[in-house]
Amino acid sequence: MRDSAVLHIKGRVLVGPDTGDAAGDVRDELWVVDGRITFERPSGARDIRLIEGWVLPGLVDAHCHVGLDAHGAVDDSTSEKQALTDRDVGALLLRDAGSPADTRWIDDREDLPRIIRAGRHIARTKRYIRNYAHEIEPEDLVAYVAAEARRGDGWVKLVGDWIDRETGDLGLCWPRGAVEEAIAEAHRLGARVTAHCFAEESLAPLVEAGIDCIEHATGLTEETIPLFAERGVAIVPTLVNIATFPRLALGGEAKFPRWADHMRRLHARRYETVRAAYDAGIPIYTGTDAGGGLAHGLVGQEVAELVKAGIPVRDALSAATWGARDWLGRPGLTEGASADLVVYDADPRAEVGVLTTPRRVVLRGRVVG
């Protein structure tokens, strides 16, 4: 699958987020030999392919769903198309935040992105999208979390809140004791835990129970932001998905007007919420929530949304590159690492819009786009 040529990547290689061109953070060139990065010129190489431009580590979509669409699990052909769509925009590391499909076969494909799986969603009975999750009651939560910790790649995904038909609004799904026991069991098994959360009331109990990350986190307030910062709990805002809230509210307001109003209010303050989280020092990473009702390949747009929320460009880039890879325990542009990188025509630090149109995509040392 791999190109036989040695690759010589020349231009500005952004190996780190330093605000200046400090030694070690910006290089002039690198080589790819046998699929791996080296900053030493290879001796004796004859067949060398030159690629020039601005270089970043392969982008990270830290919240997507390969193997899932609006109706549930999809076939392998559809999963392949989803993964290829992400790859072609330079998203080469995906954290799959819940999928009912078995996508392990993707790991054997050198032309498809690397995936870190969180197993299948775990939700309260009749409190999530049909066909997506294990739907269980609190007494079974520990057992299901343990099973998904073993099935995933170091992550477990809970549904922390969803519409409660009795109140007609978003409501917390799990009692405190059950969540504490479940998170402790996941940690014992070496897995981190994240949770889907839209509402305000679901956040503090989960953070106090020891959760590692919150997806969406639209319900953050001045009361809960310090708690997240103190505990170092990360958020993945998925702003390109939050943009759909008004449409969702319109579709559901006839039956659940209270919920619809709540969703509109969460949407209206989305940028303010993310900027306040950033200002407080909460770790923030890029995720699109692709694979449910949203298309894959939107990680560049998500970075632009973070910038629109007021996050400095370099930190927004880090949320999709250097910082995100470190958080997920995967290397970037380092000596000996797998050559997973993206080349652009212009400096992404000056214009994040270039992220949507890479010049070249290199995966496992092979030019794939």
Side-chain angles (χ1 to χ4, degrees):
M1 295 295 295
R2 188 169 293 136
D3 286 347
S4 60
V6 169
L7 300 181
H8 183 196
I9 314 293
K10 188 176 181 181
R12 304 301 279 162
V13 181
L14 307 178
V15 301
D18 193 271
T19 55
D21 286 2
D25 268 18
V26 181
R27 302 287 193 97
D28 293 327
E29 56 191 349
L30 64 77
W31 286 265
V32 177
V33 181
D34 293 331
R36 298 200 170 272
I37 291 169
T38 180
F39 292 98
E40 300 292 330
R41 181 184 295 273
S43 60
R46 300 177 187 176
D47 186 10
I48 299 177
R49 178 176 177 182
L50 177 64
I51 299 174
E52 296 184 277
W54 295 81
V55 185
L56 283 174
L59 304 183
V60 177
D61 187 339
H63 183 133
C64 66
H65 305 277
V66 177
L68 180 72
D69 69 8
H71 307 289
V74 299
D75 59 22
D76 288 354
S77 176
T78 303
S79 296
E80 178 187 40
K81 291 176 183 176
Q82 292 173 338
L84 286 170
T85 299
D86 285 323
R87 183 203 73 182
D88 290 347
V89 298
L92 305 183
L93 179 60
L94 313 176
R95 186 180 63 144
D96 191 314
S99 176
D102 181 0
T103 61
R104 287 288 175 189
W105 59 271
I106 289 177
D107 295 346
D108 298 325
R109 289 275 298 270
E110 292 194 355
D111 62 329
L112 295 180
R114 302 174 190 274
I115 301 183
I116 297 171
R117 299 171 182 81
R120 188 173 185 176
H121 305 76
I122 302 174
R124 192 76 178 264
T125 307
K126 296 183 179 179
R127 292 285 300 277
Y128 200 50
I129 303 168
R130 185 179 298 177
N131 301 323
Y132 275 32
H134 296 297
E135 296 191 21
I136 63 168
E137 288 304 295
E139 58 267 26
D140 296 319
L141 185 59
V142 172
Y144 273 82
V145 163
E148 293 309 301
R150 296 185 178 100
R151 178 174 178 251
D153 298 315
W155 284 91
V156 175
K157 169 72 174 296
L158 306 179
V159 177
D161 61 36
W162 196 250
I163 191 165
D164 184 332
R165 287 167 174 78
E166 291 185 6
T167 65
D169 198 0
L170 296 169
L172 183 66
C173 290
W174 308 104
R176 172 72 173 268
V179 171
E180 286 180 342
E181 291 180 25
I183 292 174
E185 178 66 4
H187 289 169
R188 186 185 71 81
L189 294 169
R192 289 184 277 183
V193 182
T194 191
H196 161 107
C197 292
F198 287 159
E200 294 83 354
E201 69 178 82
S202 60
L203 298 179
L206 288 168
V207 173
E208 290 168 352
I211 204 159
D212 303 283
C213 180
I214 294 291
E215 312 298 315
H216 318 301
T218 46
L220 278 170
T221 65
E222 61 183 12
E223 287 77 27
T224 50
I225 283 174
L227 180 63
F228 273 67
E230 176 188 344
R231 303 289 180 96
V233 177
I235 66 170
V236 182
T238 67
L239 287 168
V240 292
N241 177 51
I242 305 310
T244 68
F245 277 17
R247 174 174 56 81
L248 297 175
L250 182 63
E253 68 181 336
K255 190 172 183 180
F256 300 112
R258 184 178 173 187
W259 168 84
D261 178 67
H262 196 174
M263 294 290 278
R264 289 190 178 102
R265 285 185 281 111
L266 294 172
H267 172 265
R269 69 171 196 254
R270 67 197 186 283
Y271 294 138
E272 179 183 345
T273 299
V274 171
R275 178 59 199 233
Y278 171 81
D279 288 342
I282 294 173
I284 298 173
Y285 302 104
T286 53
T288 65
D289 207 6
L294 208 62
H296 283 258
L298 299 178
V299 68
Q301 287 91 324
E302 181 65 16
V303 174
E305 281 288 284
L306 292 179
V307 173
K308 191 172 181 180
I311 295 180
V313 172
R314 290 173 195 255
D315 289 334
L317 285 174
S318 184
T321 55
W322 317 290
R325 284 179 168 272
D326 184 63
W327 179 57
L328 293 173
R330 298 299 189 271
L333 302 177
T334 59
E335 183 73 28
S338 175
D340 299 343
L341 55 91
V342 194
V343 184
Y344 301 96
D345 288 324
D347 186 353
R349 299 171 302 177
E351 177 47 64
V352 295
V354 302
L355 296 182
T356 63
T357 54
R359 174 188 287 182
R360 291 286 182 267
V361 176
V362 178
L363 177 61
R364 296 175 174 87
R366 177 178 178 239
V367 179
V368 294

